[in-house]
Amino acid sequence: MRYDIAVIGAGVTGSMIARELAKYNLSVVVLEKENDVAMGSSKANSGIVHAGYDARPGTLKARLNVAGCAMMPKVASELGVPYRQNGSLVVAFCDEEMAAVQELYARGRLNGVEHLYVLGREQLFSLEPHLSPAAVGALYAPDAGIVCPYSLTIAAMGNAMDNGVELKRNFPVMSLADRGASFEISSPGETVEAAFVINAAGLYADRVAAMVGDGFFTIRPRRGEYYLFDRSIGNVVRQTVFQAPTAMGKGVLVTPTAHGNLLIGPTAEDIDDKEDKKTTAAGLEKMTLAAAKSVPGLPLNGVITAFTGLRAVGSTGDFIITQSPTHPRLIHAAAIESPGLASSPAIAAYVEAMLQGMGVLTHKRREFNPYRAPIPCPGKMGEDERYSLIAHDPAYGRIVCRCEEISEGEIRDAIRRNPPAADTDGVKRRVRAGMGRCQGGFCLPLVTELLSAELGIPMDQVTKRGPGSEILSGPVK
Ligand SMILES: Cc1cc2nc3c(=O)[nH]c(=O)nc-3n(C[C@H](O)[C@H](O)[C@H](O)COP(=O)(O)OP(=O)(O)OC[C@H]3O[C@@H](n4cnc5c(N)ncnc54)[C@H](O)[C@@H]3O)c2cc1C
């Protein structure tokens, strides 16, 4: 099959770019090595829509962060994705850190962040009464927000697919060859052709680039470990609370999530293995101690899970969004480390502008629909609305996940709509079945049954996250 454009990688970068391309009269395919979208950095991160004061002025990171932050409320609303403009604080605990806060303020101004304030102790505590009494002041960015990163990615890809983009999963690109008029792109099972290619392969973008001889950048993984707390303490802080930054990153944060949980983390540890997503006792302990500096006394018995995300740290120190120097029909969208999530709508627009400049995007589709309605969620509805939904379709009244109150109807929707959930983790990310206190202990067998029935496959072929992660090993009786 020959396409106009192939996007390699279905993280938030590839998915937002695919959605942008869906606005044009073109055939577009997204090639993803995993069984689902949002399986790389876009699955496990802090979910902060940074305001844009952190990146070095003049960089692509600075420019696209500020633009992306401004675009996010509209994009999230069009895509029906949980987003809240809760504001962020960079808290200082001594005069030296207060100087760092002033530097961030000046940098933010240079980057074009419009609303930015340096707060004294009293103003700070009126915003966040549970902070450590040692805090002396902070930088306040009211435009910052929180978004669910995998919901954003899934919704962007779903919207792209609803508008004609094709997604091929379990398609690990192993070779990319320029044949003159088009590229030949091969996985072990299939080859496709495309006139233009966007390399949005996250941690592996350097390996994809190397397939055509581009060796001008490398990507290293940097591990970040987190604790997620249940919703009972989700409002300990209202704003996202950072500490003054270090050379390794923005420091450990304490933040509510877009779903109302509390998140602390991440650590920052350079590693070699691009697949090493383990959590470590040492990392979690160090991170918990660091978080206690901002908000002491967080109850660790409220932790429902620990997880690790891997940042794709590029060798240039900035996002690498550029045409290949040797194969101009290939665009690299690489080294998209933080603030890549916040910047993602602007990254997509930037790539769109590049393709326009190359004369590729000429005809817009008038029928493009930017909206994607969220899956109906009876647990969040008022009584009348819920009863009428259940009367119309009783599946919305059968609760499968007790912790999060998720119904059979919602799980069925997650398996049927674009991009369809194909495994139990995919269901979990789409409708939160298994995300609660018991982490799937109760609902996993029921979700497995539903996947089996909806996909028309035997129970023992249902997986947690794609081939090789089958949930059942065989019958017991
Ligand atoms: C710990 C941590 C905290 C962060 N916090 C924030 C934050 O608060 N705010 C913010 O703005 N940003 C944050 N980020 C950064 C943000 O997560 C990333 O910028 C963003 O997710 C990058 O998206 P991506 O699509 O470029 O990469 P990914 O999400 O990694 O997607 C790349 C995709 O390519 C696929 N792929 C790879 N190789 C191949 C191949 N050969 N063939 C086919 N497919 C392939 C992968 O499977 C993956 O799905 C954080 C990142 C981490 C790790």
Side-chain angles (χ1 to χ4, degrees):
M1 177 77 185
R2 187 178 189 280
Y3 299 88
D4 293 316
I5 305 184
V7 179
I8 303 175
V12 73
T13 305
S15 300
M16 290 292 242
I17 290 172
R19 178 177 185 247
E20 214 55 45
L21 298 179
K23 296 175 181 168
Y24 294 86
N25 251 327
L26 294 166
S27 57
V28 178
V29 67
V30 180
L31 308 171
E32 168 54 53
K33 73 179 168 68
E34 301 292 337
N35 200 39
D36 201 358
V37 309
M39 293 296 284
S41 303
S42 304
K43 179 175 66 169
N45 59 57
S46 309
I48 311 304
V49 181
H50 298 284
Y53 51 75
D54 191 57
R56 200 159 34 84
T59 57
L60 257 187
K61 272 187 190 172
R63 183 173 141 201
L64 297 180
N65 183 176
V66 174
C69 177
M71 293 163 84
M72 192 63 84
K74 180 166 178 272
V75 171
S77 144
E78 286 175 346
L79 293 174
V81 169
Y83 164 79
R84 183 148 62 90
Q85 191 179 321
N86 65 327
S88 70
L89 293 162
V90 182
V91 177
F93 295 91
C94 59
D95 290 349
E96 212 173 87
E97 289 182 4
M98 220 37 215
V101 158
Q102 292 286 1
E103 258 175 54
L104 284 180
Y105 174 84
R107 191 186 275 199
R109 285 308 208 198
L110 280 174
N111 288 350
V113 182
E114 213 180 314
H115 304 113
L116 215 47
Y117 308 94
V118 176
L119 306 184
R121 196 168 189 281
E122 205 172 310
Q123 289 165 302
L124 173 60
F125 279 89
S126 72
L127 281 180
E128 288 298 353
H130 297 117
L131 288 181
S132 157
V136 295
L139 180 71
Y140 176 45
D143 294 336
I146 43 180
V147 69
C148 172
Y150 46 83
S151 299
L152 180 68
T153 307
I154 290 165
M157 182 58 71
N159 185 239
M161 292 169 79
D162 292 346
N163 283 290
V165 168
E166 195 178 327
L167 169 68
K168 285 182 184 285
R169 312 173 199 217
N170 300 306
F171 194 115
V173 173
M174 306 296 274
S175 79
L176 176 65
D178 192 343
R179 299 287 181 228
S182 61
F183 289 93
E184 209 173 80
I185 316 163
S186 302
S187 76
E190 194 180 350
T191 295
V192 297
E193 285 178 42
F196 295 84
V197 173
I198 318 283
N199 170 17
L203 271 166
Y204 293 91
D206 54 349
R207 297 206 187 151
V208 169
M211 290 174 193
V212 291
D214 280 353
F216 67 96
F217 66 90
T218 54
I219 309 276
R220 277 200 72 184
R222 181 173 293 165
R223 179 163 45 209
E225 302 182 43
Y226 292 93
Y227 270 145
L228 183 73
F229 291 73
D230 83 7
R231 277 190 272 195
S232 59
I233 55 158
N235 55 5
V236 167
V237 291
R238 241 192 66 77
Q239 275 77 202
T240 297
V241 176
F242 294 100
Q243 299 166 355
T246 69
M248 288 297 275
K250 298 179 189 72
V252 166
L253 58 76
V254 180
T255 185
T257 70
H259 293 288
N261 298 79
L262 186 84
L263 185 71
I264 65 172
T267 53
E269 186 191 349
D270 287 329
I271 56 175
D272 295 320
D273 182 354
K274 296 190 188 216
E275 293 297 322
D276 184 0
K277 293 184 189 159
K278 66 173 178 280
T279 51
T280 63
L284 291 170
E285 192 183 338
K286 193 170 143 203
M287 181 274 292
T288 308
L289 282 174
K293 182 180 169 193
S294 301
V295 185
L298 288 172
L300 286 183
N301 61 358
V303 170
I304 54 175
T305 191
F307 64 90
T308 286
L310 297 181
R311 306 165 180 90
V313 181
S315 48
T316 68
D318 198 0
F319 293 157
I320 299 166
I321 309 179
T322 182
Q323 272 175 276
S324 157
T326 45
H327 304 270
R329 285 175 295 101
L330 166 66
I331 292 177
H332 300 297
I336 311 295
E337 54 178 314
S338 191
L341 175 70
S343 310
S344 58
I347 292 175
Y350 188 80
V351 170
E352 179 191 21
M354 284 178 81
L355 286 165
Q356 272 169 348
M358 291 157 71
V360 185
L361 307 179
T362 45
H363 294 95
K364 277 213 164 176
R365 291 173 64 237
R366 285 178 39 191
E367 63 276 25
F368 174 77
N369 175 9
Y371 298 103
R372 184 179 191 265
I375 289 173
C377 184
K380 290 192 185 136
M381 289 174 178
E383 235 173 53
D384 288 352
E385 198 186 353
R386 187 172 351 143
Y387 284 148
S388 102
L389 178 71
I390 294 169
H392 177 72
D393 185 345
Y396 290 108
R398 290 193 283 275
I399 296 299
V400 173
C401 168
R402 289 181 187 176
C403 303
E404 296 285 312
E405 280 187 49
I406 308 299
S407 65
E408 182 185 314
E410 290 160 85
I411 294 170
R412 184 202 56 200
D413 289 354
I415 303 169
R416 288 187 187 172
R417 75 196 312 227
N418 282 329
D423 50 39
T424 58
D425 276 1
V427 168
K428 181 171 162 179
R429 279 191 297 276
R430 282 160 181 77
V431 288
R432 301 186 57 75
M435 273 297 178
R437 196 82 173 103
C438 87
Q439 290 286 293
F442 174 77
C443 65
L444 185 64
L446 298 169
V447 173
T448 307
E449 259 179 55
L450 283 168
L451 273 163
S452 158
E454 283 288 328
L455 302 178
I457 56 172
M459 291 267 283
D460 60 7
Q461 281 179 24
V462 175
T463 66
K464 180 169 161 54
R465 51 169 168 264
S469 63
E470 286 70 20
I471 287 164
L472 305 176
S473 56
V476 287
K477 52 184 165 177

